[in-house]
Amino acid sequence: MCLSPVKGAKLILIFLFLGAVQSNALIVNLTDSKGTCLYAEWEMNFTITYETTNHTNKTRTIAVPDKVTHDGSSCGDDQNSAKIMIQFGFAVSWAVNFTKEASHYSIHDIVLSYNTSDSTAFPDAVAKGVHTVKNPENFTVPLDVIFKCNSVLTYNLTPVVQNYWGIHLQAFVQNGTVSKNEQVCEKDQTVTTVAPIIHTTAPSTTTTLTPTSTPTPTPTVGNYSIRNGNTTCLLATMGLQLNITEEKVPFIFNINPATTNFTGSCQPQSAQLRLNNSQIKYLDFIFAVKNEKRFYLKEVNVYMYLANGSAFNISNNNLSFWDAPLGSSYMCNKEQVLSVSRAFQINTFNLKVQPFNVTKGEYSTAQDCSADEDNFLVPIAVGAALGGVLILVLLAYFIGLKRHHTGYEQF
């Protein structure tokens, strides 16, 4: 018999990031008299849109905090479902159920509940009370098999967008030991998949990120588009080269769009493009709106693996690149260098991005990066011209003064 959640469940939190919001990895290990009976490790966050008292929509992204409870979680048996139940304080709870069959078990009834009466979590909400969103997805996994999915699984269930990734899961564990047999999710498999929001292409042989002393070729330009329902909401075209300095050793890595997956999300004030492949757990580009008139690249997060097996993880949410008016795109055909930190830079080639106000799935008129240079050169040119005029005025003054003084002495 499964022990009570208080005695038999172990829950560990690990600090990680997704996008602009802090997230914690959850590890739940439920045990019974034989040992582990349910094991789950995963990460998740939710973006919730709600109406405010001033008749506008506001979004709130909720990630796993550093303190959660798991009351109601249970191992289950041949007659009873297993379940994991997570509570994020007063405002949010999340649950998933597992049903055992003869040769497999099903993962189903993923339910998120949130309470808009919590003014801290949902300030100025009009509709107070508990709201529930049920995810209709149903996964079947053979018994004595662990289900794994490193790719981001995104579900747009209006008014909530749910993101799950880094999943390692086995319900109804046999003989108290987590299985070494794996079932990998479709997004991680070597097949081409087309689905809303998440786009996956066939990966090829893993490329090792190693130190380099020879010139690296220009990266292939990739095209990335994110959809919100049936509408394209973010467009990006760019070649990407990652420059990492680890213990004073430089690494250069070109991103191959043919072997790179991408996903993302669009909100009124922010947008996200996430890339991942066999080498990169995630590379996030987070865009934001400023002054209701312009957009810019506000944040970059990366988590990837180096040749020596170590992980490289950098986040910077205080950037200001690719600034352009809303309703337009930003373009830069020449090579640009984005300095994310002292240890991490991104070189971009043939860049074009539009994270907001995309019309008919096409780029709008672009603001070219050369305009930034022109804007920088104009004040320099004006300052130089004014300086020249000032010098001429001073020379004329001193020459006139000298002539006047000389004439006075002769008199």
Side-chain angles (χ1 to χ4, degrees):
M1 178 177 294
C2 184
L3 298 177
S4 67
V6 175
K7 295 180 179 178
K10 298 177 182 178
L11 187 145
I12 305 170
L13 297 174
I14 301 174
F15 183 78
L16 288 173
F17 287 92
L18 175 63
V21 180
Q22 177 180 320
S23 177
N24 292 296
L26 289 166
I27 301 177
V28 175
N29 185 17
L30 300 179
T31 60
D32 60 14
S33 58
K34 296 180 181 179
T36 298
C37 56
L38 189 154
Y39 179 83
E41 176 184 349
W42 78 105
E43 298 174 61
M44 60 185 177
N45 73 6
F46 315 102
T47 299
I48 301 171
T49 302
Y50 65 96
E51 185 181 1
T52 65
T53 52
N54 60 359
H55 306 293
T56 61
N57 288 331
K58 183 176 290 186
T59 59
R60 172 71 193 275
T61 300
I62 298 177
V64 178
D66 56 0
K67 291 183 180 180
V68 303
T69 56
H70 53 277
D71 298 337
S73 301
S74 61
C75 294
D77 52 34
D78 293 341
Q79 288 76 40
N80 301 301
S81 297
K83 64 176 60 178
I84 297 174
M85 300 183 70
I86 303 295
Q87 298 84 33
F88 304 178
F90 171 71
V92 181
S93 64
W94 179 89
V96 58
N97 288 271
F98 311 89
T99 302
K100 186 178 181 182
E101 306 293 342
S103 60
H104 67 274
Y105 64 90
S106 298
I107 308 170
H108 59 92
D109 291 342
I110 304 173
V111 178
L112 170 70
S113 296
Y114 57 97
N115 193 340
T116 53
S117 298
D118 187 332
S119 59
T120 301
F122 302 98
D124 304 321
V126 171
K128 304 289 187 179
V130 177
H131 305 264
T132 300
V133 177
K134 184 176 180 180
N135 192 328
E137 293 293 324
N138 191 324
F139 300 94
T140 299
V141 182
L143 288 173
D144 200 29
V145 168
I146 186 168
F147 175 77
K148 291 189 175 183
C149 194
N150 290 319
S151 298
V152 179
L153 304 180
T154 299
Y155 303 98
N156 193 344
L157 306 171
T158 306
V160 179
V161 177
Q162 304 181 20
N163 294 298
Y164 303 94
W165 73 103
I167 303 168
H168 295 68
L169 171 67
Q170 184 180 357
F172 306 104
V173 176
Q174 309 292 303
N175 301 318
T177 304
V178 176
S179 177
K180 295 182 179 180
N181 301 319
E182 300 179 358
Q183 175 173 302
V184 180
C185 70
E186 187 177 1
K187 298 296 184 293
D188 286 353
Q189 294 174 7
T190 56
V191 296
T192 300
T193 304
V194 179
I197 302 298
I198 299 177
H199 303 259
T200 306
T201 51
S204 62
T205 306
T206 300
T207 302
T208 303
L209 183 62
T210 55
T212 179
S213 58
T214 59
T216 303
T218 301
T220 303
V221 175
N223 294 296
Y224 312 98
S225 62
I226 302 303
R227 299 179 67 85
N228 191 354
N230 296 322
T231 305
T232 300
C233 58
L234 184 152
L235 293 171
T237 301
M238 51 190 169
L240 294 172
Q241 186 178 87
L242 309 185
N243 291 266
I244 297 171
T245 303
E246 184 79 355
E247 296 180 355
K248 298 183 179 181
V249 178
F251 297 84
I252 298 179
F253 178 66
N254 284 350
I255 291 182
N256 182 359
T259 60
T260 299
N261 307 329
F262 62 94
T263 181
S265 61
C266 301
Q267 305 299 331
Q269 298 294 315
S270 65
Q272 177 194 43
L273 172 64
R274 161 169 287 203
L275 308 181
N276 73 286
N277 56 31
S278 59
Q279 199 88 38
I280 302 170
K281 187 173 183 179
Y282 58 78
L283 172 60
D284 291 334
F285 296 90
I286 311 295
F287 301 88
V289 174
K290 65 178 179 181
N291 301 326
E292 304 298 329
K293 294 181 179 180
R294 304 183 70 85
F295 72 82
Y296 68 105
L297 179 65
K298 182 181 187 296
E299 180 172 354
V300 169
N301 306 313
V302 66
Y303 191 109
M304 63 187 300
Y305 303 99
L306 305 182
N308 58 9
S310 64
F312 179 81
N313 185 11
I314 287 292
S315 296
N316 189 337
N317 63 356
N318 194 31
L319 302 176
S320 185
F321 296 115
W322 305 347
D323 187 297
L326 284 174
S328 68
S329 58
Y330 179 88
M331 180 177 69
C332 197
N333 289 325
K334 66 180 182 179
E335 180 180 357
Q336 269 194 323
V337 179
L338 275 62
S339 182
V340 180
S341 71
R342 291 184 178 180
F344 182 54
Q345 294 180 334
I346 302 176
N347 291 22
T348 65
F349 301 80
N350 297 313
L351 168 74
K352 195 170 186 179
V353 294
Q354 185 170 347
F356 301 98
N357 299 356
V358 177
T359 304
K360 297 181 180 180
E362 298 178 350
Y363 285 107
S364 301
T365 303
Q367 174 171 306
D368 197 291
C369 60
S370 60
D372 299 337
E373 294 180 353
D374 293 341
N375 291 338
F376 179 70
L377 291 174
V378 166
I380 294 178
V382 172
L386 290 175
V389 171
L390 180 61
I391 291 172
L392 290 175
V393 170
L394 290 174
L395 286 174
Y397 171 76
F398 284 119
I399 291 173
L401 182 64
K402 183 177 180 182
R403 287 179 177 177
H404 176 74
H405 182 69
T406 303
Y408 177 80
E409 287 182 341
Q410 291 175 350
F411 179 81

